[in-house]
Amino acid sequence: MKINLKKSAIVLFTSCCLTSASLPLLAGPDITQIMTDQAPKAIGPYSQGVQAGSFVFISGQIAIDPATSKIAGESIETQTLQVLKNLEAILAAQGLTFENVVKTEVYLKDLKDFQAMNAIYGEKFSYVVKPARATVQVSKLPLDALVEISCVASIPFNKL
């Protein structure tokens, strides 16, 4: 007798996953928009951040000062500080800090700015467990910014 393991696995998976106890998982996570006036308003069809289940996903932030709606400064240091303030404000809107961040993505207009950006970044992410990170050079950023950073944070179970 020949048994098709692929079909058997699909039937087993389907029968296990379609029980009434697992239906809420199939519906997907609740998604909540995060908005704060302490960070720049979204300048396109996206949210400052969203909460999905126990994670917060924050859109890439550039160095826009929310008080003036203009880029804060011309140096990588000044812009990195403003970007991190913007991220911090969105995290705070959910009762979180940089300590809750598990992943960041850093986009630099010029990788020559890496060391200066990294020094400021390292001050903010000075916790024992640092977030995972990717850093890439890009040809252009919105409003000709020098740096953009996005992040993902984990919400502790006692805050859910």
Side-chain angles (χ1 to χ4, degrees):
M1 173 165 80
K2 194 173 183 183
I3 298 174
N4 185 330
L5 292 177
K6 195 181 244 185
K7 283 185 181 177
S8 298
I10 291 171
V11 169
L12 178 61
F13 175 78
T14 304
S15 63
C16 289
C17 291
L18 292 180
T19 64
S20 61
S22 65
L23 284 177
L25 293 177
L26 296 175
D30 290 331
I31 298 175
T32 306
Q33 183 178 29
I34 301 168
M35 291 177 48
T36 176
D37 59 1
Q38 300 302 305
K41 291 182 169 76
I43 54 176
Y46 62 90
S47 300
Q48 288 175 325
V50 295
Q51 179 181 336
S54 62
F55 289 95
V56 169
F57 299 85
I58 298 180
S59 294
Q61 296 295 303
I62 59 174
I64 296 175
D65 180 338
T68 65
S69 298
K70 297 191 187 299
I71 293 285
E74 296 180 14
S75 72
I76 189 66
E77 294 86 359
T78 304
Q79 289 195 21
T80 300
L81 280 170
Q82 185 63 53
V83 167
L84 293 170
K85 283 180 188 176
N86 294 344
L87 290 171
E88 197 167 33
I90 299 167
L91 287 166
Q94 290 300 106
L96 303 174
T97 69
F98 284 129
E99 192 169 12
N100 301 105
V101 174
V102 296
K103 172 81 167 104
T104 64
E105 293 177 341
V106 180
Y107 304 95
L108 290 172
K109 185 175 176 182
D110 191 337
L111 273 177
K112 291 178 186 171
D113 290 332
F114 178 82
Q115 192 171 15
M117 177 281 302
N118 199 49
I120 294 164
Y121 178 99
E123 290 173 15
K124 291 291 188 174
F125 291 99
S126 60
Y127 305 100
V128 174
V129 178
K130 313 282 189 268
R133 178 176 82 181
T135 303
V136 296
Q137 178 174 310
V138 296
S139 62
K140 190 163 176 78
L141 290 168
L143 303 177
D144 211 26
L146 301 176
V147 60
E148 179 174 350
I149 304 175
S150 64
C151 69
V152 178
S154 177
I155 302 171
F157 289 116
N158 64 348
K159 290 191 178 196
L160 285 175

